[in-house]
């Protein structure tokens, strides 16, 4: 029986949607679903959610829940990672402490100060998962959803290069979906390919019936001045290719947007927006818990848009499909570093995940990707060597931080964040974070 382990299953809304997408495939054999979380209340809600979703789709599934990660991983075939180390309290620190120092972020989970500290507190847990997998399920696929995506997948390649690790994100799919809606073209039947780094890939190909759709987008933008107040439209106009993550995310990856009140107003940005999103996620958990207790049906989104269920379906049934995956470069994008994690199209079939060599991304796109990857590389090296000075230096490279704060201010901010997250970063402060497994 195929065994799928959800690590961080207490993210119950996301767990619910992944399960629904899995159970929509009626040609999958019976599945063993193992749910793991460190929060007993969330885990129990996840278990009840899984049982309801399986019943609603009429699927036979062997569902288990455990607080013990090692028990969960025994004989796993697929491990889906959705953890958020430190939870909403750590997220508040990542956003509010920099804001008080004059550095604004919108989401703070991918790169920059928020991404760096989220990565640093996630790496030790990933190292523990990797060690357990090498012992208990060395042939399993590790499917990462946790941000910072590029840093986390990169870290896994450092501590456990033997494991089969793929980072999965729906940003490419939803970018194309939303653009097609904008120009009134059905997304079904379109051909699209993106390449770059996660949350900053570039939509390189986008067509329908052999016709390039970019001219329709340019025409739409020219006819509607309000569209030019979108961050991604501004990036598209300056770079020439559309970036594959929301304007909220994209605004904090460059120096262009959050450095002044005028730019924030012009591009309709909401600094610290992720705090509200995080609080909404907590409210959605409470709603799900109450609904299950009352015997009510949980709301399910339509369609199978997430990549993990598609990947599992392809490997188990042999159905070939193309997804976009985050993997170590190894020659996939010729003008980005070989050891970095990049996002490229990948063919998935019964023999696994096969990233497609893309060649070079446009030099102007690669320039921004390289800055993003430099922040990640310094963070990885800080964790690998236990040298905390590299954390400070990573933020000197970050466009948003270096355009908003002086070096002295960045140093002081790092000091404050290192102290604020001390309970989650003991190994970083005290020496080597993890030896290579």
């Amino acid at each position: 029986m195929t065994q799928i382990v959800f690590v961080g299953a207490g993210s119950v809304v996301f767990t619910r949607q992944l399960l629904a997408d899995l159970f929509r495939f009626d040609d999958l054999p019976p599945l063993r679903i193992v749910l793991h979380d460190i929060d007993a209340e969330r885990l129990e809600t996840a278990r009840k959610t899984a049982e309801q979703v399986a019943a609603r789709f009429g699927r036979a599934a062997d569902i288990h829940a455990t607080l013990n990660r090692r028990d969960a991983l025994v004989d796993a075939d697929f491990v889906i990672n959705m953890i958020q180390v430190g939870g909403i309290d750590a997220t508040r620190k990542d956003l509010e402490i920099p804001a008080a120092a004059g550095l604004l972020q919108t989401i703070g989970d991918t790169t920059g100060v928020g991404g760096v500290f989220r990565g640093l507190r996630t790496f030790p847990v990933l190292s523990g998962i990797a060690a357990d997998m090498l012992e208990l399920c060395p042939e399993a696929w590790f499917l990462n959803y946790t941000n910072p995506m590029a840093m986390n997948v990169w870290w896994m390649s450092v501590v456990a290069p033997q494991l089969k690790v793929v980072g999965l994100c729906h940003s490419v799919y939803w970018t194309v979906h939303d653009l097609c809606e904008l120009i009134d073209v059905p997304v079904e039947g379109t051909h699209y390919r993106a390449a770059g780094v996660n949350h900053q890939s570039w939509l390189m190909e986008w067509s329908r019936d052999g016709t390039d759709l970019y001219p329709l987008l340019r025409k739409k933008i020219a006819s509607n001045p309000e569209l030019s107040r979108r961050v991604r439209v501004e990036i598209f106009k300056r770079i020439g290719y559309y970036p594959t993550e929301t304007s909220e995310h994209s605004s904090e990856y460059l120096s262009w947007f959050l450095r002044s009140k005028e730019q924030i107003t012009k591009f309709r940005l909401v600094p610290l927006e992720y705090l509200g999103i995080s609080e909404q996620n907590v409210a959605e958990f409470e709603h799900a818990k109450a609904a299950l207790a009352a015997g009510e049906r949980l709301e399910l989104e339509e369609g199978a848009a997430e990549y993990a269920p598609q990947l599992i379906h392809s490997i188990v049934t042999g159905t070939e499909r193309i997804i976009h995956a985050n993997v170590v470069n190894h020659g996939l994008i010729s003008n980005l570093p070989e050891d970095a994690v990049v996002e490229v199209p990948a063919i998935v079939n019964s023999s696994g995940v096969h990233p497609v060599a893309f060649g070079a991304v446009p030099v102007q796109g690669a320039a921004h990707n390289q800055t993003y990857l430099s922040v990640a590389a310094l963070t990885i090296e800080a964790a690998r060597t236990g040298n905390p000075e590299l954390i400070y230096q990573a933020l000197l490279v970050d466009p948003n931080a270096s355009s908003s704060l002086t070096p002295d201010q960045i140093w002081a901010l790092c000091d404050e964040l290192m102290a604020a997250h001390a309970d989650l970063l003991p190994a970083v402060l005290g020496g080597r974070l993890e030896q290579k497994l």
Side-chain angles (χ1 to χ4, degrees):
M1 181 178 287
T2 299
Q3 179 169 310
I4 304 169
V5 178
F6 290 71
V7 178
S11 304
V12 292
V13 177
F14 194 44
T15 296
R16 178 200 318 169
Q17 195 56 45
L18 289 177
L19 287 168
D21 285 358
L22 269 172
F23 292 143
R24 283 190 176 96
F25 291 118
D26 56 13
D27 57 342
L28 276 174
L31 302 174
R32 177 179 169 85
I33 304 295
V34 181
L35 307 168
H36 165 66
D37 204 277
I38 61 173
D39 184 309
E41 182 182 36
R42 281 184 168 270
L43 182 63
E44 178 63 9
T45 302
R47 182 188 65 79
K48 292 178 179 177
T49 296
E51 290 175 349
Q52 184 188 113
V53 173
R56 285 170 62 176
F57 282 93
R59 299 303 306 275
D62 186 15
I63 297 171
H64 296 264
T66 177
L67 292 166
N68 187 301
R69 186 178 71 207
R70 287 178 58 82
D71 288 348
L73 291 172
V74 173
D75 297 329
D77 296 295
F78 301 93
V79 178
I80 301 176
N81 178 50
M82 306 179 293
I83 62 174
Q84 183 183 356
V85 178
I88 190 172
D89 290 338
T91 296
R92 285 196 183 97
K93 294 173 184 176
D94 286 342
L95 292 169
E96 291 178 346
I97 293 173
L103 173 57
L104 297 178
Q105 303 167 94
T106 47
I107 307 297
D109 71 353
T110 296
T111 185
V113 62
V116 165
F117 278 90
R118 182 179 280 233
L120 289 171
R121 57 179 187 267
T122 304
F123 295 163
V125 181
L126 291 178
S127 295
I129 294 171
D132 288 346
M133 288 184 65
L134 286 171
E135 178 185 350
L136 303 170
C137 55
E139 297 304 314
W141 286 91
F142 182 80
L143 309 180
N144 182 69
Y145 273 104
T146 295
N147 285 322
M149 175 67 72
M151 290 191 209
N152 288 339
V153 175
W154 196 338
W155 180 253
M156 290 292 280
S157 77
V158 169
V159 298
Q162 312 95 310
L163 291 178
K164 296 180 290 189
V165 177
V166 182
L168 302 175
C169 176
H170 53 214
S171 62
V172 174
Y173 171 84
W174 283 114
T175 292
V176 173
H177 184 280
D178 293 344
L179 287 178
C180 285
E181 184 177 348
L182 182 64
I183 64 171
D184 198 26
V185 170
V187 68
E188 293 78 12
T190 58
H191 170 82
Y192 58 92
R193 297 291 181 268
V197 293
N198 181 241
H199 288 188
Q200 200 185 59
S201 286
W202 310 102
L203 186 59
M204 301 299 303
E205 303 173 32
W206 179 38
S207 64
R208 184 177 175 83
D209 298 328
T211 300
D212 183 12
L213 296 176
Y214 263 133
L216 289 178
L217 177 61
R218 292 188 178 94
K219 183 178 179 181
K220 185 72 173 182
I221 291 169
S223 69
N224 185 350
E226 275 298 297
L227 290 176
S228 292
R229 297 183 64 196
R230 294 186 183 182
V231 164
R232 286 205 284 178
V233 170
E234 176 73 358
I235 295 172
F236 170 52
K237 289 165 64 176
R238 307 301 178 182
I239 302 299
Y241 294 90
Y242 209 81
T244 59
E245 188 45 80
T246 63
S247 287
E248 291 76 20
H249 276 277
S250 296
S251 67
E252 61 188 10
Y253 305 158
L254 303 172
S255 62
W256 310 354
F257 301 105
L258 290 165
R259 60 191 298 171
S260 71
K261 292 180 180 178
E262 292 77 15
Q263 287 290 86
I264 289 170
T265 299
K266 177 179 178 180
F267 291 101
R268 300 174 295 188
L269 294 169
V270 181
L272 283 65
E273 182 172 0
Y274 195 60
L275 289 180
I277 296 171
S278 298
E279 289 163 0
Q280 182 180 350
N281 290 339
V282 173
E284 288 175 348
F285 164 73
E286 294 296 337
H287 173 75
K289 183 176 69 171
L292 288 164
E296 299 173 359
R297 288 165 64 91
L298 299 171
E299 182 180 351
L300 299 178
E301 294 181 12
E302 292 298 324
E306 291 295 343
Y307 282 146
Q310 296 179 48
L311 183 152
I312 292 167
H313 178 259
S314 287
I315 291 177
V316 172
T317 68
T319 303
E320 187 167 287
R321 54 170 50 90
I322 294 177
I323 66 172
H324 283 77
N326 293 272
V327 292
V328 179
N329 193 6
H330 294 330
L332 300 172
I333 297 181
S334 60
N335 54 345
L336 291 178
E338 276 279 306
D339 60 341
V341 169
V342 296
E343 189 167 57
V344 294
I347 299 168
V348 191
N349 54 32
S350 59
S351 62
V353 179
H354 310 282
V356 177
F358 198 87
V361 295
V363 65
Q364 68 273 27
H368 293 287
N369 291 160
Q370 180 60 67
T371 302
Y372 172 126
L373 290 173
S374 293
V375 175
L378 285 160
T379 306
I380 294 289
E381 191 67 2
R384 189 186 70 82
T385 64
N387 179 1
E389 188 173 39
L390 293 170
I391 301 169
Y392 299 71
Q393 292 165 344
L395 294 187
L396 284 178
V397 175
D398 175 61
N400 187 33
S402 60
S403 68
S404 301
L405 301 178
T406 67
D408 280 345
Q409 290 171 324
I410 288 174
W411 244 246
L413 173 60
C414 276
D415 285 342
E416 189 171 358
L417 283 167
M418 294 284 278
H421 290 303
D423 58 330
L424 298 173
L425 307 174
V428 175
L429 295 174
R432 295 178 65 87
L433 212 168
E434 280 291 340
Q435 298 286 341
K436 186 172 180 178
L437 297 174

